[in-house]
Amino acid sequence: MIKVNIFNENQYQLDEQVLKTRVKKILNQYEIDDVSVDLSFVDTVKITQLNEEELHRQGQTDVLSFPHYSAKDRKDFPLIGGKLLTLGDIVICYQTAEKESIKFKNTLTDQICFYVEHGLLHLLGYHHY
């Protein structure tokens, strides 16, 4: 079972069902079905703080991923009883999503889903440099 936890303390307008469905679809494509993922929606101040304090990168960003494992590939994921536990956290800046959705002529939901997919790929071990 895939569990998606959404943390939205600022009460941003989100289609949580669409987000949960997108996460499940992506993970199913990678044949991952026993895991939980946390999605957090924050403001520009918080994402800048996380980027600088946790990743030691300057400035604001759109999405951050914090895996709950250190693996080179999927076979290295931590398994307990043959099942995955928490894959990790994805933190999305809501204000950036709003701005970028206008810039790229996407709906806000589509832009957020883009960030969710990007974050999930990082949690699955895919990185860009």
Side-chain angles (χ1 to χ4, degrees):
M1 178 175 82
I2 296 171
K3 182 174 184 184
V4 181
N5 303 304
I6 296 178
F7 300 96
N8 182 18
E9 293 178 10
N10 294 322
Q11 301 302 307
Y12 298 121
Q13 288 191 327
L14 301 170
D15 190 334
E16 292 187 9
Q17 192 56 48
V18 167
L19 297 174
K20 289 178 180 184
T21 299
R22 182 66 60 98
V23 169
K24 291 174 183 178
K25 179 180 178 184
I26 293 165
L27 292 175
N28 284 331
Q29 289 174 341
Y30 287 89
E31 299 177 352
I32 297 172
D33 57 11
D34 286 309
V35 67
S36 69
V37 175
D38 294 342
L39 302 178
S40 296
F41 293 87
V42 300
D43 61 20
T44 54
V45 172
K46 183 65 176 179
I47 203 140
T48 300
Q49 176 187 11
L50 287 169
N51 198 31
E52 292 177 355
E53 292 177 7
E54 299 297 326
L55 300 179
H56 309 291
R57 297 181 186 147
Q58 285 297 107
Q60 181 184 336
T61 190
D62 46 14
V63 59
L64 296 171
S65 298
F66 298 99
H68 286 204
Y69 62 89
S70 179
K72 292 184 175 141
D73 60 40
R74 222 178 97 213
K75 70 178 171 43
D76 296 330
F77 284 178
L79 300 173
I80 295 184
K83 300 198 182 255
L84 283 167
L85 297 177
T86 303
L87 189 59
D89 300 293
I90 299 169
V91 182
I92 295 170
C93 180
Y94 189 85
Q95 287 90 352
T96 300
E98 284 181 314
K99 289 177 189 172
E100 294 292 298
S101 69
I102 294 166
K103 178 180 176 181
F104 293 111
K105 297 180 171 76
N106 288 330
T107 67
L108 179 56
T109 298
D110 285 343
Q111 191 67 37
I112 290 171
C113 284
F114 172 79
Y115 294 144
V116 167
E117 184 168 348
H118 185 101
L120 269 175
L121 289 173
H122 280 294
L123 295 181
L124 293 171
Y126 297 94
H127 301 287
H128 50 86
Y129 299 99

